[in-house]
Amino acid sequence: MSYKALFTWLEPKTYATSCVLLPLFQILFFATLGRFTGGEETVRYVVIGNSIQIMSVAAIVGSVQVIAQERQEGTLQFVLGTPASRVLMISGRMVMPILDGMVKVFMGFLVGILLFDISVPAECVPQLILVVLMTSFGMVGFGLLVGTLGLIFRDVNLLPNAFYFVLLVLCGVNFPVEKLPVFAQYTSRIFPLTYGTSSVREIIGSGTVALSALFMCVLLGVVYLVLSVVLFRLLEEQAKKYGTLEQV
Amino acid sequence: MREYVPVVTASFVLQLKRQSVNKLWWFIVTLQPIIFATIGYVLFKESGEENFFSYVVLGVGMIGIWSTSLFSSGLFIEIERFLGTLEVLFGSPAPFELIILGKGLASSSLGVVGLGVTVLYSWAVLRIPLEIARPLLFLVVLILTVFSLTCMGMILGTFFTLARAVRAFLNLLEFPIYILCGLMFPISLLPRWTYPFSIVLSPTWGISAMRKTVTGSIEGLWLDIVIIIVLSLVYLVGARILFREIDIQARKTGQLVFY
């Protein structure tokens, strides 16, 4: 329950404004830009990309909140004082951001279907759910690492904001990754979202799932989760050793 | 009138200092323009549209000015309340709206830094040619637009002070303005029912006038300028009415800090 309570948008009005309308306007903006610059094919590309991007942003923001806000709320000392398994403690915090992300991505698709005539074949839905779930898992893992890193910095909120913009450019959301310089293309591979956007497009376009992309999403998610747990433990030990708990 | 100049100036300078150490502001005027300009550039490159400056550079620059203005002006009174200085400002002999005007002018002016970053990035990295056919007129329009956004910000600041229930909507006002004002595309792409919203928003006329000064085809430019001025005055009158309402409510209920 504590993990659920740390999720900021439990109040329906706040959820509706921050988690439904805001992403909706983002999709509308980029879709209209896509219509102006490239026509209906670009609109389709952009709507699908942004639907998955808002899910990934939700995953990062939600994950950062459930970890880093412990300090802001003054509850970090109690969390670190419990004998509970740190692995369970961190991984348990993945649940709400994953659920929230899933809601958002399908809301984005719904907007695409209703407003931009994007067709999603019914037989593709189970595969889409699988890919979105795996991408969400990967991005929440990444978000947990960002959230744990956020314990080191004073201004935690800048990190998810920065990644919001980085994901828009690097992960094939509004245009293919191949249009980026080579170094940026390599960087894009550390984000599960890059594999997620290409997989979803492949499913909607040809009905096939690239297993390698799914594997990369899960692998990256696990790597980020392990790194978060290790970093969390390290910070905890440092805090206990030097009596700097409130500075963690 | 002359005694009000130091009030606006002092408030302007204080806000410049305060905002220049705000990390979120630096973030809005540096990373956001670079990302939006990159997306705009790649999408426009495919389109055959060659006027990158009008749509990408100006559009992204205006996005930076609006975001700065929104997140600063919309929360002015809220921030003063949080800092515990609202009662002091409100009780001082200097008119409260002039203090807010100074702050608003500072925020909108600092938003121009975002335009500068966009111009620099577009020229140095994206290699977009920066040619303005009517530079002097461009400067005039830019100053008027910044002033107009300040007036819009004053309305927002007072409105969100009075209407606490809708304060959660502040974040929502970013993308709708980008869309309704056609900052990166013409508003003719939008459904007709959105036009009334577009025409009462001064950035619509600001970006239209700026594009005209860039291309040099200035037909209708003076109409755009007149509309920007008229809308700014309307916003100012609206803000004045809302300030008076805050004043009345504060004296009636004695709960200024709870707004």
Side-chain angles (χ1 to χ4, degrees):
Chain A
M1 271 306 284
S2 64
Y3 307 143
K4 188 181 156 198
L6 280 165
F7 186 70
T8 303
W9 300 295
L10 281 177
E11 194 195 347
K13 187 183 81 181
T14 319
Y15 190 84
T17 52
S18 298
C19 301
V20 179
L21 288 175
L22 190 61
L24 172 72
F25 288 137
Q26 179 189 322
I27 293 174
L28 289 177
F29 171 72
F30 284 109
T32 317
L33 183 61
R35 180 164 285 164
F36 180 49
T37 53
E40 294 314 307
E41 195 49 45
T42 311
V43 171
R44 182 185 156 93
Y45 193 94
V46 162
V47 170
I48 291 172
N50 278 273
S51 299
I52 308 169
Q53 193 261 359
I54 56 177
M55 173 271 282
S56 301
V57 171
I60 294 179
V61 174
S63 308
V64 169
Q65 278 176 349
V66 292
I67 290 193
Q69 280 200 354
E70 295 278 15
R71 185 177 59 185
Q72 283 177 298
E73 304 291 338
T75 48
L76 186 62
Q77 52 192 318
F78 304 116
V79 169
L80 295 184
T82 65
S85 156
R86 299 305 187 240
V87 176
L88 290 177
M89 197 182 272
I90 301 277
S91 54
R93 282 153 202 258
M94 296 176 96
V95 178
M96 283 305 282
I98 288 178
L99 288 177
D100 177 45
M102 296 289 286
V103 170
K104 280 179 177 156
V105 74
F106 288 105
M107 187 199 71
F109 280 135
L110 193 65
V111 170
I113 292 166
L114 295 176
L115 299 181
F116 299 104
D117 293 329
I118 288 170
S119 61
V120 179
E123 62 271 20
C124 293
V125 173
Q127 294 160 314
L128 275 178
I129 292 174
L130 180 69
V131 169
V132 169
L133 191 65
M134 294 299 110
T135 312
S136 189
F137 171 78
M139 288 309 294
V140 168
F142 180 75
L144 288 174
L145 180 61
V146 174
T148 314
L149 282 170
L151 290 173
I152 302 170
F153 304 108
R154 190 184 286 179
D155 209 341
V156 180
N157 292 326
L158 282 180
L159 284 173
N161 275 324
F163 282 111
Y164 166 81
F165 288 114
V166 169
L167 297 181
L168 273 177
V169 164
L170 286 187
C171 300
V173 173
N174 290 299
F175 52 81
V177 174
E178 293 71 38
K179 292 193 189 299
L180 292 166
V182 177
F183 76 92
Q185 289 185 36
Y186 281 116
T187 312
S188 74
R189 292 180 193 168
I190 66 164
F191 297 108
L193 175 62
T194 307
Y195 304 96
T197 49
S198 66
S199 286
V200 166
R201 290 200 170 98
E202 208 170 319
I203 291 169
I204 293 176
S206 64
T208 56
V209 189
L211 289 175
S212 59
L214 278 182
F215 173 73
M216 282 308 293
C217 287
V218 176
L219 178 69
L220 286 171
V222 171
V223 168
Y224 290 136
L225 184 62
V226 170
L227 287 174
S228 316
V229 172
V230 170
L231 184 65
F232 194 83
R233 279 191 177 146
L234 197 70
L235 291 172
E236 189 180 347
E237 278 168 22
Q238 292 283 311
K240 283 177 182 165
K241 196 171 172 183
Y242 297 109
T244 54
L245 192 60
E246 290 307 311
Q247 289 170 29
V248 168
Chain B
M1 194 68 183
R2 276 178 68 183
E3 68 268 26
Y4 294 146
V5 176
V7 175
V8 177
T9 310
S11 169
F12 181 89
V13 172
L14 181 66
Q15 183 62 26
L16 281 185
K17 286 180 182 170
R18 193 186 273 178
Q19 200 149 328
S20 59
V21 293
N22 182 334
K23 287 178 194 157
L24 187 64
W25 172 74
W26 278 106
F27 184 81
I28 287 174
V29 297
T30 51
L31 187 60
Q32 179 174 311
I34 289 172
I35 297 291
F36 273 71
T38 307
I39 295 171
Y41 176 74
V42 175
L43 289 177
F44 272 82
K45 210 175 170 186
E46 300 289 304
S47 71
E49 169 67 57
E50 286 180 0
N51 202 340
F52 292 112
F53 192 85
S54 280
Y55 286 100
V56 179
V57 182
L58 288 184
V60 173
M62 279 291 285
I63 281 174
I65 299 175
W66 168 244
S67 296
T68 307
S69 195
L70 174 69
F71 290 115
S72 312
S73 308
L75 292 171
F76 275 149
I77 299 176
E78 189 73 1
I79 290 169
E80 295 298 343
R81 189 173 68 93
F82 178 75
L83 294 173
T85 47
L86 183 60
E87 304 97 309
V88 182
L89 289 178
F90 214 78
S92 75
F96 185 61
E97 49 265 54
L98 289 185
I99 296 171
I100 297 296
L101 176 67
K103 286 174 181 292
L105 281 172
S107 288
S108 307
S109 308
L110 281 172
V112 178
V113 175
L115 177 63
V117 170
T118 313
V119 169
L120 195 65
Y121 175 72
S122 304
W123 172 74
V125 180
L126 303 178
R127 303 284 173 194
I128 295 177
L130 308 175
E131 287 160 7
I132 303 175
R134 302 289 188 111
L136 265 179
L137 276 174
F138 176 82
L139 199 61
V140 170
V141 172
L142 180 64
I143 291 168
L144 282 174
T145 307
V146 166
F147 176 71
S148 192
L149 282 169
T150 306
C151 302
M152 255 178 96
M154 286 179 78
I155 288 236
L156 287 176
T158 45
F159 179 71
F160 284 115
T161 303
L162 285 166
R164 286 190 71 172
V166 292
R167 208 169 288 165
F169 289 89
L170 182 72
N171 282 342
L172 287 185
L173 290 177
E174 241 188 330
F175 278 108
I177 297 295
Y178 305 167
I179 299 169
L180 290 170
C181 299
L183 297 186
M184 288 187 77
F185 41 76
I187 56 170
S188 55
L189 284 174
L190 303 176
R192 276 185 176 276
W193 62 265
T194 60
Y195 290 1
F197 298 103
S198 299
I199 60 173
V200 296
L201 295 166
S202 62
T204 307
W205 305 97
I207 192 83
S208 158
M210 278 189 220
R211 282 182 189 136
K212 283 171 187 165
T213 59
V214 165
T215 57
S217 58
I218 56 170
E219 193 185 339
L221 176 67
W222 294 107
L223 180 67
D224 290 346
I225 290 176
V226 169
I227 295 174
I228 295 170
I229 294 169
V230 170
L231 284 175
S232 306
L233 294 175
V234 171
Y235 298 154
L236 274 182
V237 171
R240 172 94 180 123
I241 293 167
L242 290 172
F243 271 118
R244 199 171 292 164
E245 187 58 31
I246 292 176
D247 189 64
I248 292 167
Q249 291 292 325
R251 288 172 203 282
K252 203 188 277 180
T253 62
Q255 293 183 327
L256 176 67
V257 287
F258 296 120
Y259 285 146

